[in-house]
Amino acid sequence: GDAYRMPGYPALLALADLLAPWPLLAVRVGQVLAVAATAVCAGTVVRRVSGQARAGLLTAAAVAFYPPFWFLAPVVYAEIATVLGLGVIMVLCAADPRRPPRPAWLLAIGGSLALLTYLKPNNVLLVLPVTAFLLVRSSGWRTAVLSAVSVGATLIALLVPWTVSASAAQGRLVVLS
């Protein structure tokens, strides 16, 4: 097995190869759609946080027409999927700023962080700002700690299968590759 590469993006490519008659075209079209979805995520977050519909629309437009996204969209790299995943995490974090995060949202945030880590291992560092956000946002320390532990435990639980598989293939502990 290839224990030197996280399996996230190769799995997406394999899925395109399995489902589409023209997998490269499917990946490129999927990444263009991911840019559009990222713009929607960014606009949603700004609208929720600011309360201004116009600010959300302007943000969505700015992201939708950001030149590097359109340069990277047809390139077969994990960056576009990573940006979309980050947008999903931001939408989940900004779901309802007046209420403590719901357990399902915390599991979804931890799962999204795990998926991002499977795309690119350095994305595991995103747990730090997400945890900081949850700590600042929470109404009390108990809620803050439970939120951070929920996200962290979900992330770890979803990364364990890769750690076990890569470690077995290498004959030594491989946490991320």
Side-chain angles (χ1 to χ4, degrees):
D2 185 2
Y4 296 105
R5 181 186 333 259
M6 292 296 281
Y9 198 67
L12 286 175
L13 296 176
L15 184 64
D17 192 44
L18 181 68
L19 298 177
W22 302 284
L24 181 58
L25 178 62
V27 168
R28 288 178 171 168
V29 169
Q31 290 188 166
V32 168
L33 294 173
V35 168
T38 300
V40 171
C41 288
T44 299
V45 169
V46 169
R47 181 184 50 77
R48 284 182 183 168
V49 171
S50 71
Q52 301 286 326
R54 181 178 293 166
L57 285 173
L58 289 173
T59 301
V63 170
F65 295 107
Y66 185 57
F69 286 162
W70 293 107
F71 173 78
L72 288 173
V75 179
V76 182
Y77 284 135
E79 279 70 12
I80 294 296
T82 299
V83 171
L84 174 59
L86 187 57
V88 168
I89 289 172
M90 291 188 319
V91 167
L92 290 167
C93 285
D96 188 354
R98 297 175 306 260
R99 296 180 53 186
R102 295 180 182 163
W105 289 341
L106 295 171
L107 293 174
I109 291 169
S112 297
L113 285 169
L115 288 174
L116 285 175
T117 303
Y118 275 117
L119 287 171
K120 296 180 80 71
N122 58 343
N123 286 334
V124 75
L125 296 175
L126 292 171
V127 75
L128 299 174
V130 168
T131 301
F133 174 81
L134 291 171
L135 292 174
V136 169
R137 178 184 169 187
S138 296
S139 57
W141 278 104
R142 183 172 186 268
T143 304
V145 169
L146 286 173
S147 296
V149 167
S150 296
V151 169
T154 304
L155 172 65
I156 290 168
L158 293 174
L159 292 178
V160 164
W162 172 253
T163 300
V164 169
S165 173
S167 297
Q170 293 299 308
R172 62 181 173 80
L173 180 63
V174 178
V175 180
L176 297 173
S177 56

